[in-house]
Amino acid sequence: METAVFKFEHDMPVRNYPAPRWTGDEYRALERAAELIRNGELVAFPTETVYGLGGNALDPEAAGKIYAAKGRPSDNPLIVHIADCFEFYRLCSEVPDEAMVLAETFWPGPLTMVLPKSFKVPDVTTGGLGTVAIRMPNSAVAYELIQLSGVPIAAPSANLSGRPSPTRGDHCVRDLDGRIPMILWGEDCKVGIESTIVDLTEETPAILRPGIITPTAISKALGREVIIDPALLVNHKPYGVADGDGLLLEGEKDAPAPRAPGMKYRHYAPKAPMTIFQGEPDDVRRRIETEKAKAEAEGLTAGVILFSDDAFEEAARNLFADLRKMDDEGVDRIFAGALKQSDERGFAVMNRMLKSAGYNVIDV
Ligand code: TXA
Ligand code: MG
């Protein structure tokens, strides 16, 4: 299949509307992409978190194509992207007040809500679950695409299954060229890790996937306690996790399966073996230098991922791109410095870094 790749000069957060002045070419590309979506085809598009691989969320065949293009297991449900809160009433059988509160506080933005699904959402989209995950992304290109399509767009991250999520247009081209009819190449993703997922279908709201919107921020917006899916904490032990305002953050040794089916997969695996070093920042830096020199003495090449202390947002923005760069350079070993997990954003980035490294952590 021939893949049309269109590069945008204009993309921006939706919050900065009035809309950018699209050039004629840009607008025509958006119209073409929307037509593809309406016809049940797939289009990769930018969001502020990671690029998405989109299809009509209400069309079971289109949703099926997404799993096929990514090589993704079909029990792993898709996130449905919307551009207007009215969509709640099309997609959900029930809309709790708290969903509206979170939408007003964080949307458009990197937060996904899990809600009871309506009969209009096909089972393929939700991997057979009775709930649906919904998000309003903060990218003008994504916003226009959803608006012009006239349908909610189901979109997982636009990587091949098992590769790091794409945060730059060229990552999508690399993974999906020849597999889908169109790629919209917008800005580099400003957040860089996938959205926070909060489940609002149980008695107490629960974080199913950590992200840059923190449990504390969600708890403050709702004015009540929020729990973290215990399955998320298991592999972070004994490294300690955040202890924000009144949140339940105690890890359990034998946690049940994660409540977001996708969180059980290994994900993000770079090709080279990866080791995370954890400890005082200066000790970690020295240890990584030593390990790198040792590897090089053995004739191996080594890549280093080391963010400045407390630069959590920068780490989120660059982690996946750095991992992909190391794959492209074909390094033999990857050495990374752990981020402080007592910070909730540090915890979110570490969730991805630990998976990339297959939980291979050394205390220094
Ligand atoms: O930032 C993001 O959320 C990006 C961009 C494209 O919006 N999307 C994304 O999608 O990360 P994906 O498919 O890579 O991850 C979706 C996650 C999976 O872990 C999946 O199991 C979970 O969301 N999920 C989807 N629907 C769910 C549901 N009804 N209940 C629980 N978890 C759900
Ligand atoms: Mg993904």
Side-chain angles (χ1 to χ4, degrees), residues 49 72 76-77 79 81 131 133 135 156-157 194-195 197 209 260-262:
T49 56
R72 177 182 177 118
N76 191 359
I79 291 175
H81 295 71
T131 54
R135 176 166 111 79
S157 46
E194 305 87 345
S195 58
I197 302 180
R209 179 172 71 183

Side-chain angles (χ1 to χ4, degrees), residues 70 72 157 159 165 194 267:
K70 266 184 77 101
R72 177 182 177 118
S157 46
N159 51 290
S165 295
E194 305 87 345
H267 269 97

